Amino acid sequence: MPAVYASAPGKIILFGEHAVVYGRPAIAAPVTQVQAKAYVLANPSAAPGHVEIDAPAIALHARLDELDEQHPIAYAIRLSQQKLAVDRLPAFKLRISSTIPIAAGLGSGAAISAAVARVVSGFLGRPLPDTEVNDIAFRVDQIYHGTPSGIDNTVITYARPIYFIRGMPVEFLTVYRPLTIVIANSGILSPTGVVVGDVRQRYQADPSAYEPLFDQIAMIAAHAREDIVHGDPENLGALMNQNHHLLQRLNVSCAEVDCLVEEALANGALGAKLCGAGRGGNMIALVDDNAAESVAMALQSAGAVGTIITRIS
Ligand code: PMV
C-alpha cells in the first residue's frame, strides 16, 4: 500500500491576538511557505495496534502506546480514531516533519495536529472533513494553550484568510488587493500558554484596565477587515502600528521584537507589529512588493534568525 500524505500550513495573525481570547475579532492568514507534513505507511508485519511515530523535528521516536494520553500527537491520533469509531488501529508508521518554527507564533502545534488528523483518517479510508479536523486541532491546542480562542486551528485547517470571533461562524475574507508581508523570527522561544496565562492573571486582577485595550484592538481589527476587503492597504499599515502599541500596553512585546518592528519601519515598511502570543517569536511587516527583499535583509541584519516573504491574496 502506498504511503498516505497530508499537510497543513503555518499562519500569521494580522490583527487582534490576545483580545480574540476575550471575544474580540481578529484577522489571520495562512503562510504556505512553511508546512507541517505527515506520512503514514502500513506496517503489515507488525501486530494490529502497533503504531510507530517518528517526528525528528521534536526528537520524538516512540510507539503510540508509550506516549501519555495527553501527548499532543497521541491525542490527535486518538481523537481521529474516536471520531471514526475505530476500535483498534491497524499497524502503521507515522512520520511527521515540519518547517514551521516551534513556539514562535506561526501555529506549528495546530498545523501538526491538522496534518496528523488528516493523514490518519485518510489512512483509515475515511478522510475527516475540515470541521472535524478543526475540532481535533482545537482540542489539542487546549493542551498547549489552556484557553485557545480557536483562531490558530481555524485558519490553519481552512488555509484561507479569516475574520474570526470566538464562538461565531468563521468569515472567510476575500482580499481585494494582495498584501505582501515580511515575517521575521526574533529567535526567542515563547510558549503561547505562558503568555496567554500571564495576560489572564493580570486581566483577572484588574479587568477594567484591560477591557478598554481589548476594545481598541477590536476596533482596529474591524477597520482592518474593511480595508482588506474593500481595498485600502495604505491604511492597514497605520492600523498595524496602532495594534502593536496596544500589544505593548498589554505587556506582551519585548525589546527584541520592538527592535525588529522599528527596523522594519525605518526601512520603509508600511506598518509592523508582533505576531501571535508575543514576548519573542515572530513579527510581521506590511510592505510594498518592491520593498519586501530590502526589508527582509534589514531585519536579518538587525538580528532576525529567519525571514519569510508571503503574499496574502
Ligand atoms: O499561537 P500564537 O502564538 O500565534 O498565539 C495565538 C493567538 C493568541 O491570541 C495569543 C491566543 C489565542 O488562543 O487566540
Side-chain angles (χ1 to χ4, degrees):
M1 189 185 183
V4 179
Y5 162 77
S7 66
K11 69 99 218 315
I12 47 176
I13 297 186
L14 292 167
F15 296 96
E17 50 272 269
H18 287 291
V20 68
V21 176
Y22 299 83
R24 276 42 168 217
I27 298 175
V31 178
T32 51
Q33 286 84 352
V34 285
Q35 298 270 339
K37 297 180 179 172
Y39 306 81
V40 164
L41 194 62
N43 189 3
S45 57
H50 183 102
V51 174
E52 274 175 47
I53 304 162
D54 191 20
I58 51 168
L60 175 71
H61 184 79
R63 280 198 332 263
L64 178 60
D65 59 11
E66 289 170 345
L67 295 177
D68 191 274
E69 266 180 28
Q70 296 274 295
H71 186 286
I73 293 173
Y75 195 40
I77 296 172
R78 295 291 187 207
L79 287 172
S80 309
Q81 183 185 357
Q82 266 172 33
K83 281 188 186 282
L84 295 172
V86 170
D87 282 348
R88 195 157 175 73
L89 291 170
F92 64 83
K93 293 181 183 183
L94 167 65
R95 186 178 166 87
I96 300 165
S97 64
S98 176
T99 51
I100 308 172
I102 292 167
L106 296 188
S108 106
I112 289 177
S113 303
V116 167
R118 284 189 177 130
V119 82
V120 169
S121 61
F123 173 71
L124 294 172
R126 282 181 289 152
L128 286 167
D130 282 345
T131 47
E132 301 293 349
V133 171
N134 194 26
D135 180 58
I136 291 173
F138 177 68
R139 286 163 68 183
V140 178
D141 255 11
Q142 286 179 313
I143 301 176
Y144 285 108
H145 291 196
T147 55
S149 63
I151 191 169
D152 280 16
N153 49 281
T154 305
V155 65
I156 281 167
T157 298
Y158 293 98
R160 291 169 64 184
I162 58 169
Y163 184 74
F164 179 91
I165 302 175
R166 189 176 193 162
M168 306 275 280
V170 63
E171 180 186 344
F172 297 108
L173 295 178
T174 304
V175 179
Y176 182 84
R177 229 190 297 163
L179 306 173
T180 304
I181 304 279
V182 180
I183 306 169
N185 190 349
S186 69
I188 300 167
L189 299 185
S190 177
T192 299
V194 174
V195 188
V196 170
D198 183 41
V199 172
R200 182 169 298 280
Q201 254 185 12
R202 283 179 295 113
Y203 169 79
Q204 282 169 347
D206 188 3
S208 63
Y210 287 88
E211 290 287 349
L213 297 179
F214 295 147
D215 284 340
Q216 289 176 62
I217 293 175
M219 271 178 31
I220 289 172
H223 283 141
R225 178 193 167 282
E226 290 299 302
D227 292 336
I228 289 172
V229 173
H230 300 296
D232 186 4
E234 280 71 40
N235 197 36
L236 281 174
L239 291 173
M240 262 188 190
N241 296 338
Q242 290 167 24
N243 195 161
H244 185 67
H245 291 140
L246 288 162
L247 288 162
Q248 287 175 317
R249 288 176 61 192
L250 280 181
N251 194 21
V252 294
S253 195
C254 64
E256 292 82 355
V257 169
D258 286 346
C259 164
L260 293 177
V261 165
E262 278 158 31
E263 194 65 22
L265 295 175
N267 282 276
L270 305 170
K273 62 180 273 294
L274 73 79
C275 172
R279 305 251 176 92
N282 279 273
M283 55 74 69
I284 55 173
L286 177 69
V287 295
D288 277 331
D289 233 7
N290 53 16
E293 292 290 346
S294 58
V295 169
M297 272 164 57
L299 289 169
Q300 284 172 25
S301 306
V305 297
T307 54
I308 299 167
I309 297 171
T310 192
R311 281 184 188 80
I312 300 171
S313 53

